Amino acid sequence: MTASIKNKIKTSFTLRGIEFKNRVFVASGTFGYGDEVRKLVDVSRLGGIFTKSLSWKPRAGNPPQRIVETASGMLNSIGLANIGVHTFIEQKLPYLRKLDTRIIPNIAASSLQEYCDVLELLEEQEGIAAYEINVSCPNVKEGGLNFGTDCSMTGKITASLRKLTNKTLIIKLTPNVTHISEFARTVEAEGADAVSVINTLIGMAIDIKTRKPKLSTVTGGLSGPAIKPVALAKVYEVAKSVKIPVFGVGGIASAEDAIEFLLAGATAVQIGTMNFVDPVISVKIADGLEIYAREHGILDMGTLVGALDADLKFSVLQSWL
Amino acid sequence: MTASIKNKIKTSFTLRGIEFKNRVFVASGTFGYGDEVRKLVDVSRLGGIFTKSLSWKPRAGNPPQRIVETASGMLNSIGLANIGVHTFIEQKLPYLRKLDTRIIPNIAASSLQEYCDVLELLEEQEGIAAYEINVSCPNVKEGGLNFGTDCSMTGKITASLRKLTNKTLIIKLTPNVTHISEFARTVEAEGADAVSVINTLIGMAIDIKTRKPKLSTVTGGLSGPAIKPVALAKVYEVAKSVKIPVFGVGGIASAEDAIEFLLAGATAVQIGTMNFVDPVISVKIADGLEIYAREHGILDMGTLVGALDADLKFSVLQSWL
Amino acid sequence: MCGMVQQLCKVESCDEVAAKTFLLRFASSEITASAQPGQFVNVLAAEAGEGPLLRRPFSIARVDGDIVELFFHAIGTGTLLLSRKRHGETIDVLGPLGQSFRVDADYDTALIVAGGIGVAPFPFLTADLLKRCKRIETFVGYRNAGQILTSHLQNIHIATDDGSKGFHGNVVQLFEPFLDRTDLGKAKIFACGPTVMLKALSELAKRKNICCEVSLEGHMACGVGLCQGCPVERTGDGSKYALVCKDGPIFLTTDIIL
Amino acid sequence: MCGMVQQLCKVESCDEVAAKTFLLRFASSEITASAQPGQFVNVLAAEAGEGPLLRRPFSIARVDGDIVELFFHAIGTGTLLLSRKRHGETIDVLGPLGQSFRVDADYDTALIVAGGIGVAPFPFLTADLLKRCKRIETFVGYRNAGQILTSHLQNIHIATDDGSKGFHGNVVQLFEPFLDRTDLGKAKIFACGPTVMLKALSELAKRKNICCEVSLEGHMACGVGLCQGCPVERTGDGSKYALVCKDGPIFLTTDIIL
Ligand SMILES: Cc1cc2nc3c(=O)[nH]c(=O)nc-3n(C[C@H](O)[C@H](O)[C@H](O)COP(=O)(O)OP(=O)(O)OC[C@H]3O[C@@H](n4cnc5c(N)ncnc54)[C@H](O)[C@@H]3O)c2cc1C
Ligand SMILES: Cc1cc2nc3c(=O)[nH]c(=O)nc-3n(C[C@H](O)[C@H](O)[C@H](O)COP(=O)(O)OP(=O)(O)OC[C@H]3O[C@@H](n4cnc5c(N)ncnc54)[C@H](O)[C@@H]3O)c2cc1C
Ligand SMILES: Cc1cc2nc3c(=O)[nH]c(=O)nc-3n(C[C@H](O)[C@H](O)[C@H](O)COP(=O)(O)O)c2cc1C
Ligand SMILES: Cc1cc2nc3c(=O)[nH]c(=O)nc-3n(C[C@H](O)[C@H](O)[C@H](O)COP(=O)(O)O)c2cc1C
Ligand code: FES
Ligand code: FES
């Protein structure tokens, strides 16, 4: 059935000359390196896989406890545990590049140089469709201040990486800033091809028995359905302020949620936390989008993008909270 | 039973010479003017009531739809519908001041002058324990930019109001900023006696059938259990960076939640959205805190404030999200 | 709202009485003691973490001794969870809430017009009107015959969108000719249903100069006036909006803009 | 994890078999076909919006034909919701997951040591060990007599914290003298329970130079290696952490730092 739908509805889209077969992706850090659940998930039904963030050296990650469940969400403090870009290239990429979907390594680093090094090494490899840059990382030089909350650093990272690659460069923005659209405009100006919106919100939980933070790192990143309204508002804000495509991410749990993000202006969506609840959810959402398109006579999923019918006459009122 | 507990455990605390009988309050905009549910809720069991935000003139508020339920939370776009400070003084304050709890009017305005006018008028009245200032309001002079996301405007409002009153001045901070502690430090420097942390997060929801935003104002404020981890992290950040007391607010639904906020550094808590689910929840939480104190041999609830046992050696790692 | 209580109430029964439509019966002598037709209750469908956050409002469909009855459509998670309640379980109910139909006005015939689940408040209203010896004519419109609910109503006229039972068309189309051809004395309309139906009816009532009271729905958070979340635009001077939960859900159509 | 499936499985039964302890039986021929003792399943306690977001991990307690059995304590919302499952309802199960006990190692006597609900994986292990004709001695510790679960275990030695049944004290205190006074040939310990118990046991095993495998718990999000959420510190060189869900939950105590 899905095959016959496919023939009729255009689900694909193109970014810097690379075609993605549809608009549903799995988000960085929520699908491992794509091989953990290969028996369950037909990744050829996805637009692509954003890998776990890769740093130059392997990172052990944070001590336990790394995960806390919260109301309709979860906090994580993985600490970007990852195998490092070298092992990725040796052990994961050969398998990944054979998959019938696009592979987008996500890069994390604690210095501008490290971002560049990781990307340059990946540039030499086959089978990479694009890069996603995780700027929600501590800038070790600046005493651990987050790159992603510093607009000029975010711009600098973008500009530096832009010089190193002709591939699609996607900057993943953090929501933990006052005006995310400033960051989006900056990276657009510095040559980013797209932005991903949003990474996790900073959150915290306390074990009242031990009186300690539940996470070993005190605070962590909040994700899941709880944050969907925030993510949607950020996607809307960004999509209104830049021309480059937006990958919408944050709490998406169904095809209906994905459609909300498309309407708000996302060119495509990434599924994060919900992969943990249902490893095949991304495929279900891709199917759901096609069914929706068929039922609504939509021939190109792209017509949904930014198709929100928003009456902006009340926009000033929004700030009365 | 509660009477006998009361005798043993110190639940009260003092702010600028005013004693509050305990650390549980109802949050602005979530308990009306205190009279709607007077038959159900024994407000004398509360530390105080933060009223719905008051502006100089009555405000009709936003058109429907003003409310959207979300995963473990809700969006609102009430538009600060309120009866105006004059009607408040005539019709509500006489009743409120007779209640055996503290009354804290919350002030909202669209200009610095309006903040001052409302406060000055309230200064002439009896029965007001403190003021809470809602800075999450559009600055009409600046094209509707939110006061609360502009650190110097927030400081200016604080300084101006400080000159007008000797009563306790509480500034309610918005979480929609990069570094909330900057705002907290600024208002502390300008003479605020306390801060309330947090107001709602900006969020959005879309009706995919009509392709319109569900809220008439496109975006609105997210509240409820979904945001508790964010609120707790902000309270922790603020409490670590200022000496003035913090009112913790955001998603509190139980005595256990309230204890998390106290441990994170809140001097007291405000209950918001959960009043809609259970109008008597604030009293239940006040009772729950006393039961907890008794069971744990706590003689003064104040000993819980900031008693978090946090190992900060990983604090740099927090920004690896 | 003097009789308002918040209680854990024992469920007596919950049965599917028409397609996806349930009759939930629970015990509360406090609510039955003070409830008036047109008022509603705000029900928590599940405990914290086991269902939606907010309460769900439902018209009081009937009171029977100590028993309160609700009619509802299972359309989402909240109503689905409620539909699974079984005898002996408890539900957390806040009520009775809001204003009632003004039954003591000056009229001879009560014209009840309901669309779909909008029929919910009318068994209760009917019982009250019967006590007052009013003539009652009841018009109910449904999508199809499978949805029809008519228990405890009087002099029922049925319309179905698909013509599977009664008049083929909508309930206002059924109602208007009846108005024209029947001598009703002084009449008052009581209505509940989808907004488009209430709009049509309200215009009809205006044209015919008949007093018309409607029961409105609206997205609610608290149901008691705490949140200001449920505005409906008012006509006339004074404040721009009324609150559906506190000033309504019953309104004269001349007082509001639908 | 070659046999891993995600399925909606029919619940056969769910009964309270000891204080707040439930035995849940559901059908899955796919899981029973490939499951090994020590592996676990990750169960969704409720549909979206009707319970906690994340799945809940449970050891496979036993397989019986096509039926998978779980033993669990109802301690929070997830396990409470699961405890209410009735015959004919379905649950969404992901499994079997993780590594199994290494039963084919060289030993004569299997010493099973369980604390509380840590008994869960051992009926399954026992069945396997019996097939391999190993001698089995089983030590179970509970708070009190009301919690005791012993079905499908062999040669059971009981300890209770309050002395209400069996040895008065904890299970390690019961186990250690037994080790000293009994000739067991070559022995291997299989253990599951609270971390403090596993720690004590692991030290004992080290002292006595007995191979000891433990089943760990840990806060999990995915259960399959996607999230990196469940680290346990490793000994030796190489990466600092192993993942409880993928590299475990069964570990040799010499491989990890408890
Ligand atoms: C005063 C009042 C009285 C009511 N009386 C009854 C009654 O007697 N019987 C009955 O079946 N229903 C009644 N309703 C509507 C009922 O409250 C909703 O159907 C119910 O809240 C839906 O809950 P849910 O969780 O099942 O659906 P949800 O998942 O919350 O919603 C399902 C769909 O219905 C829409 N929806 C939900 N609530 C409303 C609403 N209040 N107005 C418009 N659209 C809505 C949602 O946007 C969504 O599209 C009444 C509403 C009000 C305000
Ligand atoms: C591999 C593995 C196998 C397991 N096997 C079993 C089993 O066979 N039988 C059984 O009863 N339980 C088992 N558990 C534990 C079980 O998963 C938890 O009890 C369950 O998830 C609790 O869910 P809840 O929603 O009821 O409680 P929650 O409300 O989530 O938690 C209640 C309390 O328990 C704590 N808690 C929850 N999960 C864990 C955990 N994984 N580790 C430590 N503390 C926790 C919470 O912090 C909280 O204080 C196993 C766990 C793992 C990781
Ligand atoms: C456990 C976990 C690990 C994550 N790891 C990464 C990561 O390595 N790099 C990254 O850019 N984002 C990471 N994220 C963020 C997600 O990709 C996504 O932006 C965020 O979770 C919001 O989407 P969601 O609500 O759908 O999960 C991680 C999220 C989770 C929950
Ligand atoms: C419906 C609604 C109305 C609110 N109105 C106001 C208001 O008038 N002034 C104000 O300062 N905060 C207002 N708030 C914010 C709350 O006081 C509180 O800061 C926020 O909701 C977070 O707490 P909660 O998660 O417990 O609701 C409102 C919140 C809600 C949900
Ligand atoms: S629903 Fe809260 S005021 Fe009406
Ligand atoms: S629980 Fe996700 S990696 Fe182990």
Side-chain angles (χ1 to χ4, degrees):
Chain A
M1 185 189 77
T2 43
S4 79
I5 306 172
K6 257 191 198 153
N7 295 340
K8 288 183 287 178
I9 295 160
K10 180 169 183 250
T11 58
S12 67
F13 71 103
T14 303
L15 240 176
R16 209 179 171 95
I18 298 274
E19 193 183 58
F20 296 87
K21 67 171 73 169
N22 69 33
R23 293 169 193 270
V24 181
F25 295 70
V26 284
S28 177
T30 66
F31 208 72
Y33 303 103
D35 52 350
E36 284 80 0
V37 287
R38 61 176 173 275
K39 293 274 163 58
L40 286 181
V41 187
D42 177 8
V43 294
S44 78
R45 295 278 306 115
L46 299 179
I49 297 173
F50 287 84
T51 73
K52 177 76 198 163
S53 279
L54 296 165
S55 48
W56 182 251
K57 287 194 197 156
R59 288 182 51 86
N62 294 333
Q65 181 175 342
R66 291 184 182 172
I67 295 281
V68 177
E69 188 168 355
T70 66
S72 298
M74 62 178 275
L75 288 163
N76 87 78
S77 165
I78 306 299
L80 291 188
N82 81 89
I83 55 176
V85 66
H86 298 89
T87 310
F88 173 77
I89 289 169
E90 281 156 36
Q91 292 178 12
K92 302 292 180 180
L93 195 54
Y95 161 77
L96 284 172
R97 77 163 66 92
K98 276 185 241 143
L99 297 177
D100 180 19
T101 193
R102 298 293 184 190
I103 303 304
I104 305 146
N106 175 297
I107 303 177
S110 50
S111 69
L112 180 56
Q113 191 57 48
E114 187 183 354
Y115 279 110
C116 295
D117 292 345
V118 175
L119 186 135
E120 282 194 292
L121 194 61
L122 288 168
E123 272 292 281
E124 296 162 20
Q125 315 305 321
E126 294 288 306
I128 290 171
Y131 303 104
E132 183 180 56
I133 311 304
N134 178 1
V135 292
S136 300
C137 302
N139 182 349
V140 164
K141 260 198 194 149
E142 300 289 327
L145 273 183
N146 197 299
F147 287 115
T149 58
D150 177 337
C151 200
S152 76
M153 267 316 302
T154 305
K156 211 161 158 186
I157 293 170
T158 309
S160 307
L161 297 177
R162 179 72 292 167
K163 286 192 200 108
L164 300 175
T165 184
N166 272 318
K167 291 215 179 88
T168 299
L169 187 61
I170 307 164
I171 311 295
K172 183 165 183 179
L173 301 178
T174 165
N176 301 302
V177 297
T178 312
H179 299 295
I180 196 171
S181 48
E182 272 178 27
F183 289 74
R185 276 193 298 262
T186 301
V187 304
E188 179 180 46
E190 298 296 354
D193 298 302
V195 285
S196 295
V197 176
I198 60 175
N199 211 314
T200 52
L201 289 166
I202 292 174
M204 179 172 173
I206 294 173
D207 182 333
I208 65 169
K209 277 182 221 126
T210 61
R211 296 193 179 178
K212 289 189 183 180
K214 286 191 177 170
L215 293 173
S216 63
T217 53
V218 184
T219 58
L222 184 66
S223 64
I227 70 165
K228 195 194 89 179
V230 175
L232 198 63
K234 299 277 184 194
V235 165
Y236 178 71
E237 181 186 339
V238 168
K240 281 226 143 328
S241 59
V242 294
K243 293 207 177 62
I244 53 177
V246 180
F247 286 83
V249 50
I252 298 174
S254 65
E256 289 72 25
D257 290 346
I259 293 165
E260 284 191 68
F261 278 80
L262 297 180
L263 293 172
T267 290
V269 296
Q270 300 176 9
I271 316 303
T273 299
M274 290 307 291
N275 289 310
F276 307 151
V277 179
D278 179 357
V280 299
I281 194 149
S282 52
V283 172
K284 287 181 188 163
I285 289 174
D287 285 344
L289 284 180
E290 293 193 18
I291 291 166
Y292 175 87
R294 188 186 42 186
E295 285 176 1
H296 290 76
I298 292 166
L299 296 177
D300 179 350
M301 295 298 295
T303 58
L304 285 175
V305 175
L308 184 72
D309 175 11
D311 178 350
L312 284 172
K313 74 172 175 257
F314 294 115
S315 63
V316 165
L317 297 178
Q318 87 169 51
S319 31
W320 290 93
L321 290 179
Chain B
M1 187 188 77
T2 42
S4 79
I5 306 172
K6 257 191 197 155
N7 295 339
K8 287 182 290 179
I9 296 160
K10 181 171 183 249
T11 57
S12 67
F13 71 102
T14 303
L15 241 176
R16 211 177 169 98
I18 298 273
E19 194 183 55
F20 296 87
K21 65 171 74 167
N22 68 33
R23 294 169 193 270
V24 182
F25 294 71
V26 284
S28 177
T30 66
F31 208 72
Y33 302 103
D35 52 350
E36 285 80 0
V37 287
R38 61 176 172 275
K39 293 274 164 57
L40 286 181
V41 187
D42 176 7
V43 295
S44 78
R45 295 280 304 117
L46 300 179
I49 296 174
F50 287 84
T51 73
K52 177 76 199 164
S53 278
L54 296 165
S55 47
W56 183 252
K57 288 194 195 155
R59 288 181 51 87
N62 294 332
Q65 184 175 344
R66 292 184 182 174
I67 295 283
V68 177
E69 188 168 356
T70 67
S72 298
M74 62 178 275
L75 287 165
N76 86 77
S77 165
I78 306 299
L80 291 187
N82 80 89
I83 55 176
V85 66
H86 298 88
T87 310
F88 172 77
I89 289 169
E90 281 156 37
Q91 292 178 13
K92 303 291 181 180
L93 196 54
Y95 161 77
L96 285 171
R97 76 164 66 94
K98 277 186 240 139
L99 297 176
D100 181 18
T101 194
R102 298 294 184 189
I103 304 303
I104 305 147
N106 175 299
I107 303 176
S110 50
S111 70
L112 180 56
Q113 191 57 49
E114 186 183 355
Y115 279 111
C116 294
D117 292 345
V118 176
L119 186 134
E120 281 193 293
L121 194 61
L122 289 168
E123 272 293 280
E124 296 162 19
Q125 315 305 320
E126 294 288 308
I128 289 171
Y131 303 104
E132 183 180 55
I133 311 304
N134 179 2
V135 292
S136 300
C137 302
N139 182 349
V140 164
K141 261 201 193 145
E142 299 289 327
L145 273 183
N146 198 298
F147 288 115
T149 59
D150 177 338
C151 200
S152 75
M153 268 313 304
T154 304
K156 211 162 157 185
I157 293 171
T158 309
S160 307
L161 298 177
R162 178 72 290 165
K163 285 191 203 110
L164 300 176
T165 183
N166 271 319
K167 291 215 178 88
T168 300
L169 188 61
I170 307 164
I171 311 294
K172 183 165 182 180
L173 302 178
T174 166
N176 301 302
V177 297
T178 312
H179 299 294
I180 195 171
S181 48
E182 270 177 28
F183 290 72
R185 274 192 299 261
T186 301
V187 304
E188 178 180 46
E190 298 295 355
D193 298 303
V195 284
S196 294
V197 177
I198 57 176
N199 212 315
T200 51
L201 289 166
I202 293 175
M204 179 172 173
I206 294 173
D207 183 333
I208 66 169
K209 277 183 221 125
T210 61
R211 296 193 179 179
K212 291 189 181 180
K214 287 192 179 171
L215 293 174
S216 63
T217 53
V218 185
T219 58
L222 184 66
S223 64
I227 70 165
K228 196 193 88 178
V230 174
L232 198 63
K234 298 279 186 194
V235 165
Y236 179 71
E237 182 187 339
V238 169
K240 280 225 141 333
S241 60
V242 295
K243 293 207 180 62
I244 53 177
V246 179
F247 286 83
V249 49
I252 298 174
S254 65
E256 289 72 25
D257 289 346
I259 293 165
E260 285 191 67
F261 277 80
L262 297 180
L263 292 172
T267 291
V269 296
Q270 300 176 9
I271 316 301
T273 299
M274 290 306 291
N275 289 310
F276 307 152
V277 179
D278 179 357
V280 299
I281 194 149
S282 51
V283 172
K284 287 180 187 164
I285 289 173
D287 285 344
L289 284 180
E290 293 193 18
I291 291 166
Y292 175 88
R294 188 186 42 185
E295 285 176 359
H296 291 77
I298 292 165
L299 297 177
D300 179 350
M301 295 299 293
T303 58
L304 285 174
V305 175
L308 184 72
D309 176 10
D311 178 350
L312 283 172
K313 71 171 178 260
F314 295 114
S315 62
V316 165
L317 297 178
Q318 86 170 51
S319 30
W320 290 91
L321 290 179
Chain C
M1 266 187 290
C2 49
M4 178 166 88
V5 292
Q6 180 184 359
Q7 294 188 315
L8 277 183
C9 301
K10 262 229 166 94
V11 171
E12 182 64 28
S13 63
C14 184
D15 300 301
E16 189 160 1
V17 291
K20 287 198 173 179
T21 310
F22 292 79
L23 171 61
L24 174 69
R25 295 164 51 87
F26 63 87
S28 169
S29 52
E30 289 79 0
I31 294 177
T32 57
S34 72
Q36 299 296 322
Q39 286 189 298
F40 67 101
V41 291
N42 217 357
V43 183
L44 205 55
E47 279 179 56
E50 299 179 19
L53 180 67
L54 300 173
R55 288 172 185 269
R56 296 292 187 258
F58 300 98
S59 304
I60 297 173
R62 209 168 75 94
V63 304
D64 179 11
D66 283 357
I67 299 291
V68 181
E69 293 187 357
L70 310 179
F71 267 138
F72 65 90
H73 256 161
I75 57 166
T77 304
T79 47
L80 185 73
L81 287 168
L82 274 183
S83 74
R84 290 192 201 137
K85 295 286 173 192
R86 291 293 161 262
H87 175 82
E89 295 183 43
T90 54
I91 48 174
D92 181 336
V93 183
L94 185 64
L97 306 175
Q99 307 302 320
S100 57
F101 289 111
R102 269 133 289 186
V103 282
D104 50 6
D106 171 30
Y107 59 95
D108 310 303
T109 305
L111 298 165
I112 293 177
V113 186
I117 194 68
V119 74
F122 295 124
F124 193 10
L125 178 66
T126 299
D128 193 313
L129 292 169
L130 284 175
K131 276 190 228 146
R132 292 165 198 272
C133 304
K134 302 283 187 186
R135 174 177 170 191
I136 305 171
E137 299 287 342
T138 307
F139 300 80
V140 288
Y142 296 96
R143 290 237 181 92
N144 56 56
Q147 299 189 311
I148 295 176
L149 284 168
T150 54
S151 57
H152 304 285
L153 301 176
Q154 291 281 317
N155 303 327
I156 303 159
H157 310 249
I158 293 175
T160 53
D161 292 347
D162 67 353
S164 51
K165 184 148 183 200
F167 174 77
H168 188 165
N170 74 42
V171 69
V172 182
Q173 289 165 338
L174 167 66
F175 178 61
E176 179 161 7
F178 175 90
L179 262 192
D180 293 336
R181 73 173 179 255
T182 321
D183 179 18
L184 299 162
K186 195 152 188 217
K188 175 167 181 177
I189 299 172
F190 299 94
C192 183
T195 307
V196 11
M197 170 201 130
L198 297 183
K199 252 188 192 152
L201 199 64
S202 146
E203 279 154 27
L204 175 64
K206 196 174 169 191
R207 257 188 350 258
K208 306 276 177 188
N209 203 17
I210 305 177
C211 173
C212 178
E213 260 187 348
V214 294
S215 173
L216 294 189
E217 292 196 3
H219 291 265
M220 292 186 174
C222 70
V224 295
L226 293 175
C227 74
Q228 304 280 322
C230 57
V232 58
E233 207 170 331
R234 292 177 65 247
T235 54
D237 307 333
S239 58
K240 182 164 182 202
Y241 297 109
L243 294 179
V244 173
C245 72
K246 214 176 125 181
D247 306 319
I250 311 301
F251 292 98
L252 286 169
T253 48
T254 47
D255 287 348
I256 51 164
I257 300 169
L258 274 167
Chain D
M1 268 190 286
C2 48
M4 177 167 90
V5 292
Q6 180 183 0
Q7 294 189 317
L8 277 184
C9 301
K10 261 229 166 97
V11 171
E12 181 63 29
S13 64
C14 184
D15 301 302
E16 189 160 1
V17 291
K20 287 198 172 179
T21 309
F22 292 78
L23 170 63
L24 175 68
R25 296 164 50 87
F26 63 87
S28 170
S29 53
E30 289 79 0
I31 294 177
T32 57
S34 72
Q36 299 295 322
Q39 286 189 299
F40 66 101
V41 290
N42 216 357
V43 182
L44 205 55
E47 280 179 55
E50 299 178 20
L53 180 67
L54 299 173
R55 288 173 184 269
R56 297 293 187 257
F58 299 98
S59 303
I60 298 174
R62 209 168 74 95
V63 303
D64 179 10
D66 282 358
I67 300 291
V68 180
E69 293 188 357
L70 310 179
F71 267 138
F72 65 90
H73 257 160
I75 56 166
T77 304
T79 46
L80 185 74
L81 287 168
L82 274 183
S83 74
R84 292 192 200 137
K85 295 287 174 191
R86 291 293 161 262
H87 177 83
E89 296 183 42
T90 54
I91 49 174
D92 181 335
V93 182
L94 184 65
L97 305 174
Q99 307 301 320
S100 57
F101 288 112
R102 269 133 289 188
V103 283
D104 50 6
D106 171 30
Y107 58 95
D108 310 305
T109 305
L111 299 165
I112 293 177
V113 186
I117 195 67
V119 74
F122 295 123
F124 193 11
L125 178 66
T126 298
D128 192 313
L129 292 169
L130 285 174
K131 276 191 228 145
R132 291 166 198 270
C133 303
K134 302 282 186 185
R135 174 178 170 191
I136 305 170
E137 299 286 341
T138 308
F139 300 79
V140 288
Y142 297 95
R143 288 237 181 95
N144 56 56
Q147 299 190 311
I148 294 175
L149 284 168
T150 54
S151 57
H152 304 285
L153 301 176
Q154 292 280 316
N155 304 326
I156 303 159
H157 311 248
I158 293 174
T160 52
D161 292 348
D162 67 354
S164 52
K165 183 150 183 197
F167 174 77
H168 188 164
N170 75 40
V171 67
V172 182
Q173 290 166 338
L174 167 65
F175 177 62
E176 179 161 5
F178 175 90
L179 262 191
D180 293 335
R181 72 173 178 254
T182 321
D183 180 18
L184 299 162
K186 195 155 188 216
K188 176 167 181 177
I189 299 172
F190 300 94
C192 183
T195 307
V196 10
M197 171 202 130
L198 297 183
K199 250 187 194 155
L201 200 64
S202 146
E203 277 154 27
L204 176 64
K206 195 173 171 193
R207 256 186 354 256
K208 305 278 179 185
N209 203 17
I210 307 178
C211 173
C212 178
E213 259 188 350
V214 294
S215 173
L216 294 190
E217 292 195 4
H219 291 265
M220 290 185 176
C222 70
V224 295
L226 293 175
C227 73
Q228 305 280 321
C230 58
V232 58
E233 207 170 331
R234 292 177 65 248
T235 54
D237 305 334
S239 59
K240 184 165 179 200
Y241 296 109
L243 294 179
V244 172
C245 72
K246 213 176 127 181
D247 306 319
I250 310 302
F251 291 98
L252 287 169
T253 49
T254 47
D255 287 348
I256 52 164
I257 300 170
L258 275 166

